[in-house]
Amino acid sequence: MGAMKLGCIADDFTGATDLANNLVRAGMRVVQAMGVPRQSLDAEADAVVVALKSRTLPVNEAVAQSLAALKWLQAQGAQQIYFKYCSTFDSTAQGNIGPVTEALMQALGSDFTIATPAFPDNQRTVFKGHLFVGDVLLNESGMQNHPLTPMTDANLVRVLQGQCRRQVGLIDYKVVAQGEAAIRTRIDQLRAQGVGLAIVDAISNDDLLRLGPALKNMLLVTAGSGVAISLPANFGITPSSMASALPEAEGLQAVVSGSCSLATNRQVLAFIKAGLPARSVDPLQVAAGVDVVAQMLDWAKPLLGQGPVLIYSSADSNAVKAVQAQLGVEEAGALLERTLAAIARGLVDVGVRQLVLAGGETSGACVQALNITQMKIGPQIDPGVPWCHAQTDAAPQGGLHLTLKSGNFGTDDFFIKAFARLV
């Protein structure tokens, strides 16, 4: 494998492809690994993204997995480490963004790093330390109703400070607007004040591009995927269409969606309104012992030859809470993950070779069920969501094209247009 420039650790699978997508757009050749690899990657890559399912794990488990990923990336020669979390900064009240960041800092011998989930292309901006989703604060965006990681505070300095031992500060938009020198000066000031982490304002891509050069020699960068647009240039890399080249697509098409986000619910509705075949998974039937997997596959098989089908468990927050009340939060989530993962595997077994997966937890479970350990990152469908290609024993001839869509990402017609973007 060629010299790795950037080693990345992502706290969920869709977030990993989101990050990889921005790196590819900026010219990096990127490989995504599902979990910490057991051996060196046999591929040429400028960056490797290790995708974990650590966002909602107990803190000690999330830290342990992240440190294992760091150790592997260091062994591959990574020159800089990037810890990637969601653009809605969501985690549990105890972490895991703060604890993982501090553990990585300690392991790297770093006394300072930045944090910003800003991703203006997807309407995530940070102003005066507050995270906005579109025109509203994070806690008014629907994220306050997230079934696993509800976000009720948009003040990121306050949120991160609640998870960290080190002092958290702010690099505000006025400093960022002045560019690299001003950002570096502000970092030095914060360091002198004993600050170890700083939230960074960014309200446009120009802000992220101004921030990038100031991070050139920083051992650890923590962010959503937005900052990734500015880092490849620090390694002398420029955009190239060759970075996103994938094998030619073939085979049947399907969508498996487990996200309950507002964006995904709109995408499900748009698919149905377009007259395309869709069927909902009832978690209470699954809990009652009904073979829902077989039902869904029997329904899908005769339809797949006509175009894409959608199987979904997406629902509004009230419906989700009703199921959680009967089954418990953890059991309801795990039950659906296992069911959707089995459905995804069944779809591939009958010839699906173009597969859209929606939702971070759903994507993680499905990828594991399909025995996917590495993916090549390809062209973007929507900001933060690329097509990928994986070799897997589930699709022995030619591999599998798939996309892992974060619940909050994508236009309303995402499920419809995604397959047209794959050539």
Side-chain angles (χ1 to χ4, degrees):
M1 181 175 175
M4 186 197 308
K5 297 170 177 61
L6 188 65
C8 309
I9 303 165
D11 67 359
D12 82 342
F13 284 20
T14 57
T17 56
D18 171 15
L19 170 60
N21 175 66
N22 276 348
L23 293 173
V24 167
R25 289 172 61 216
M28 279 188 158
R29 299 165 301 166
V30 182
V31 170
Q32 180 171 323
M34 306 304 176
V36 182
R38 297 180 181 179
Q39 58 190 19
S40 297
L41 291 180
D42 184 19
E44 289 290 329
D46 302 304
V48 174
V49 182
V50 176
L52 305 177
K53 287 188 67 181
S54 59
R55 182 172 301 166
T56 57
L57 286 179
V59 170
N60 61 332
E61 293 181 36
V63 167
Q65 289 190 18
S66 301
L67 289 176
L70 171 65
K71 185 176 181 180
W72 183 87
L73 289 166
Q74 288 178 310
Q76 311 309 305
Q79 299 171 35
Q80 185 177 49
I81 301 298
Y82 191 133
F83 170 41
K84 194 273 176 193
Y85 36 75
C86 188
S87 65
T88 47
F89 211 69
D90 58 304
S91 60
T92 64
Q94 296 75 30
N96 292 326
I97 294 172
V100 169
T101 296
E102 291 195 300
L104 294 173
M105 291 177 71
Q106 183 174 351
L108 287 163
S110 169
D111 68 343
F112 185 90
T113 190
I114 61 99
T116 181
F119 189 6
D121 282 352
N122 260 328
Q123 301 186 68
R124 311 295 194 267
T125 54
V126 182
F127 178 73
K128 288 290 186 180
H130 289 71
L131 178 56
F132 285 79
V133 177
D135 295 327
V136 301
L137 288 165
L138 174 67
N139 56 298
E140 299 171 0
S141 68
M143 279 302 298
Q144 70 271 30
N145 298 317
H146 193 287
L148 297 177
T149 53
M151 295 300 293
T152 59
D153 189 355
N155 185 323
L156 301 188
V157 175
R158 189 161 54 214
V159 169
L160 190 56
Q161 188 65 77
Q163 301 178 11
C164 291
R165 297 184 303 274
R166 290 172 172 83
Q167 186 178 344
V168 179
L170 174 66
I171 301 174
D172 76 8
Y173 72 101
K174 294 180 181 178
V175 172
V176 175
Q178 296 175 58
E180 178 184 357
I183 295 168
R184 289 185 182 276
T185 297
R186 178 59 175 158
I187 288 173
D188 290 341
Q189 292 172 346
L190 291 170
R191 271 196 171 113
Q193 296 167 13
V195 173
L197 301 96
I199 298 295
V200 182
D201 281 356
I203 58 178
S204 68
N205 281 351
D206 287 342
D207 287 335
L208 296 176
L209 293 171
R210 282 187 281 264
L211 174 63
L215 307 178
K216 184 173 184 178
N217 297 314
M218 193 170 282
L219 294 173
L220 171 69
V221 174
T222 91
S225 67
V227 171
I229 68 173
S230 63
L231 296 188
N234 290 343
F235 299 99
I237 293 174
T238 57
S240 167
S241 60
M242 294 301 297
S244 63
L246 294 180
E248 184 177 351
E250 56 184 23
L252 304 174
Q253 303 167 332
V255 181
V256 175
S257 174
S259 171
C260 296
S261 74
L262 296 177
T264 300
N265 286 338
R266 291 193 299 269
Q267 289 155 3
V268 168
L269 184 60
F271 192 92
I272 294 170
K273 283 186 174 180
L276 296 169
R279 189 161 177 179
S280 174
V281 171
D282 183 348
L284 295 180
Q285 280 196 325
V286 179
V290 176
D291 192 349
V292 172
V293 174
Q295 287 183 351
M296 292 295 162
L297 294 176
D298 287 344
W299 167 81
K301 287 175 187 176
L303 298 171
L304 283 166
Q306 304 167 33
V309 303
L310 165 64
I311 295 174
Y312 67 101
S313 67
S314 309
D316 65 30
S317 60
N318 291 330
V320 172
K321 289 175 182 176
V323 173
Q324 290 175 337
Q326 293 190 52
L327 303 180
V329 175
E330 290 187 7
E331 178 56 26
L335 195 68
L336 279 174
E337 282 182 37
R338 291 194 297 269
T339 302
L340 292 173
I343 290 169
R345 178 64 193 236
L347 289 168
V348 172
D349 286 344
V350 299
V352 168
R353 294 295 181 269
Q354 301 175 44
L355 181 63
V356 173
L357 302 172
E361 299 302 317
T362 299
S363 294
C366 292
V367 162
Q368 290 173 342
L370 291 165
N371 295 326
I372 293 172
T373 59
Q374 296 179 30
M375 299 194 309
K376 174 72 168 60
I377 308 302
Q380 175 175 285
I381 304 167
D382 269 340
V385 195
W387 275 109
C388 309
H389 184 265
Q391 297 291 345
T392 169
D393 59 5
Q397 272 94 36
L400 176 68
H401 286 82
L402 71 164
T403 185
L404 314 183
K405 188 194 79 71
S406 173
N408 294 300
F409 285 5
T411 57
D412 291 357
D413 63 345
F414 183 89
F415 292 157
I416 300 169
K417 74 181 181 184
F419 300 102
R421 300 286 173 88
L422 188 58
V423 294

